[in-house]
Amino acid sequence: MATPGLCGSAFAVFRRIEPIIALEQLGSTLFDTALQMVVRDRTANITEPGRSSEESRQTAITDFYMTYNLIVQFTPVIPALVLASLGDRGWRRAPIVVPLGGYLLSRLALLLVVILGLPLKLMFAAAVVFGLCGGFSAFWPGIMTLASLGSTAADRSKVMMRVELLYGLTGVVGSLVSGHLFLLYSSSLGNGTVLLSVSTLLNLLCFIFAAALLQVKRVNSEDSEERYHLLSHASRHHRLTGCCAGVNLPNVVLLFAAAFLYDFAVGGAVEVLGPFVLKSPLSWTATQVGYGNAAGCGIFVTSFLGVMMFRKCVGDETMILIGMLSFAVGIYVMSFVTTTSLFYIARLFTLFALIPMPTIRALVSQQVPASRCGIALTFLQMTLKVAGAIYIPAFTKIYQSSLTWFPGLVFMISSVITVTSMIPVSIVGCRSAQKQENVRIQGD
């Protein structure tokens, strides 16, 4: 008798965005470990005249990732904007379903590379297809838009961090098992086939759920204008009750600048972190790579807990500064990592490193009406793409140049840029505090 009710409850769960997030992140974490290890294996025998074998391998690995990541950064720009526009016109599934198709095709491409022994450069074509489908630039704003439209302005950063929490927890699980799955064989096809088969299957299920089951809540444009359009950032402790007449452009510009600099610092460090752990003295195996990726995903969890703790006593700007300082200290320690234990100590310092970006997104989303929320978040994502176009080649070349005498130089540079990104956030905080003080004085 309880079976119909149970089935109905399960069906209702599958219509939410949470299963989409979990399946996509599981598939992605498995894919990331697989790609990293496949690239390592394919470059194992590369040697260049006048350079050691390890230098040659590191150069080959970083060159591959530089080209691959540049393609992933650039090709989604126009498709993501088009999909965001469709989403704001009522096609809320489009920015989610179309990119998931690209995810599925790229996973399938790497599976074919492993099974058929195809050239690794085929992944560049897969990256183009992935980008033309919108990639993460369309998918994540699409997810965040659905999450933000289903919440009040005052609770939006909390809701977005809850999404980040689910994303992180799923990433931890996927990363922990990814290294072990990579070592499993499928007949005589070699390492990685089981891992990539599971990743492809998860992305297929995710695509089906998003296309066939995902429920999108309809938002009345007039009501949502009154509910979401805010003149400026309000205090975490101040309830927003009215509609505002415009946008605080200076604050938006400052938030975009902070996001640009912070993403530049974080992205540049992460860009070379993968090759860094594969070289001596760390020389990680597939299992260790999975554990390391799990530590990175674990920051989603600690950052969420940090938001829950800090939001009770400080405002959004202060939380952003705490997160930026956390990353600056951790990545500075990473500059001197020579053992696996020291690597995890450096990671420990970055406990709150993921607080800044979702909080900045929440603040930006408060400056626009609901009907333009998707395009605003996508423009922010495009700003981060511009940062990526610069930091990917810059940090790669710096790492290659300093490989023999100080491979941690890129992490030290990243720390300095992170401290710089704290300046515009501090200005926003001062402006908001001054505005609130003026309102209080006028009220008195």
Side-chain angles (χ1 to χ4, degrees):
M1 296 296 293
T3 302
L6 184 61
C7 292
S9 299
F11 182 76
V13 169
F14 288 133
R15 302 199 69 185
R16 298 170 58 88
I17 62 171
E18 285 81 0
I20 307 298
I21 297 171
L23 288 171
E24 185 279 324
Q25 176 66 336
L26 274 176
S28 292
T29 51
L30 300 183
F31 173 81
D32 290 341
T33 298
L35 180 61
Q36 190 172 350
M37 301 313 298
V38 170
V39 172
R40 185 203 64 176
D41 293 345
R42 291 295 182 92
T43 58
N45 298 322
I46 291 180
T47 56
E48 296 179 5
R51 311 189 73 172
S52 66
S53 58
E54 183 168 73
E55 286 182 75
S56 299
R57 288 195 299 270
Q58 284 286 301
T59 300
I61 292 173
T62 51
D63 282 343
F64 170 84
Y65 272 109
M66 179 177 66
T67 303
Y68 181 84
N69 289 332
L70 281 173
I71 294 173
V72 170
Q73 290 280 347
F74 271 114
T75 51
V77 173
I78 301 301
L81 291 174
V82 172
L83 289 170
S85 179
L86 288 174
D88 284 338
R89 293 182 181 184
W91 298 80
R92 291 295 183 190
R93 283 196 190 91
I96 298 175
V97 175
V98 176
L100 286 175
Y103 276 95
L104 178 60
L105 292 174
S106 64
R107 279 47 172 164
L108 183 60
L110 184 58
L111 179 61
L112 294 177
V113 166
V114 173
I115 292 177
L116 302 180
L118 300 175
L120 187 59
K121 290 184 178 180
L122 179 65
M123 293 309 300
F124 296 152
V128 171
V129 174
F130 174 76
L132 291 177
C133 291
F136 190 78
S137 300
F139 173 76
W140 198 240
I143 290 292
M144 286 299 191
T145 298
L146 289 185
S148 64
L149 293 182
S151 64
T152 63
D155 291 334
R156 198 168 301 165
S157 61
K158 178 180 178 181
V159 170
M160 288 188 173
M161 280 305 302
R162 188 179 298 123
V163 171
E164 300 272 4
L165 174 64
L166 175 61
Y167 196 74
L169 286 173
T170 309
V172 169
V173 175
S175 297
L176 287 175
V177 303
S178 62
H180 298 284
L181 286 176
F182 182 83
L183 298 177
L184 296 179
Y185 282 79
S186 176
S187 302
S188 59
L189 298 178
N191 291 337
T193 53
V194 174
L195 176 62
L196 284 167
S197 297
V198 174
S199 175
T200 304
L201 177 60
L202 289 171
N203 278 275
L204 176 60
L205 290 174
C206 185
F207 177 79
I208 292 173
F209 286 168
L213 299 179
L214 180 62
Q215 184 178 35
V216 178
K217 180 180 179 181
R218 297 292 179 183
V219 180
N220 181 275
S221 60
E222 294 182 1
D223 293 341
S224 60
E225 290 280 334
E226 182 176 355
R227 188 177 178 186
Y228 293 111
H229 192 167
L230 307 178
L231 173 63
S232 62
H233 168 58
S235 168
R236 173 67 62 186
H237 309 291
H238 178 67
R239 287 294 174 182
L240 302 171
T241 58
C243 166
C244 298
V247 173
N248 193 327
L249 186 59
N251 275 4
V252 172
V253 172
L254 288 169
L255 289 170
F256 268 59
F260 178 92
L261 290 171
Y262 188 64
D263 186 72
F264 190 96
V266 175
V270 173
E271 175 70 18
V272 299
L273 191 58
F276 177 78
V277 300
L278 295 178
K279 65 179 287 295
S280 63
L282 297 182
S283 301
W284 279 6
T285 63
T287 302
Q288 290 173 313
V289 167
Y291 291 161
N293 290 341
C297 292
I299 298 175
F300 283 91
V301 181
T302 54
S303 294
F304 175 81
L305 296 177
V307 168
M308 295 298 98
M309 177 176 60
F310 296 135
R311 72 192 301 267
K312 297 178 180 179
C313 53
V314 300
D316 284 347
E317 296 89 353
T318 304
M319 286 199 301
I320 293 172
L321 292 175
I322 292 172
M324 289 179 170
L325 181 61
S326 172
F327 179 78
V329 173
I331 206 64
Y332 180 81
V333 175
M334 191 69 72
S335 304
F336 307 100
V337 165
T338 55
T339 64
T340 296
S341 59
L342 187 56
F343 172 90
Y344 285 109
I345 292 175
R347 274 298 198 188
L348 186 63
F349 281 110
T350 62
L351 286 175
F352 307 123
L354 293 181
I355 290 178
M357 289 312 300
T359 308
I360 289 175
R361 286 189 180 99
L363 292 183
V364 170
S365 71
Q366 292 177 13
Q367 314 304 315
V368 297
S371 61
R372 306 302 295 167
C373 183
I375 199 70
L377 292 177
T378 301
F379 268 117
L380 177 59
Q381 197 70 27
M382 292 304 103
T383 301
L384 305 185
K385 290 297 178 183
V386 174
I390 302 173
Y391 72 66
I392 289 175
F395 275 75
T396 298
K397 294 305 178 182
I398 292 173
Y399 177 69
Q400 291 176 349
S401 300
S402 61
L403 187 60
T404 56
W405 55 278
F406 187 23
L409 176 63
V410 289
F411 303 131
M412 188 172 292
I413 293 174
S414 175
S415 180
V416 173
I417 297 174
T418 301
V419 173
T420 305
S421 71
M422 298 171 69
I423 297 175
V425 178
S426 300
I427 297 174
V428 171
C430 292
R431 285 170 53 85
S432 297
Q434 184 177 10
K435 181 180 289 292
Q436 292 166 21
E437 180 65 18
N438 292 338
V439 171
R440 186 187 66 81
I441 293 174
Q442 291 176 2
D444 295 339

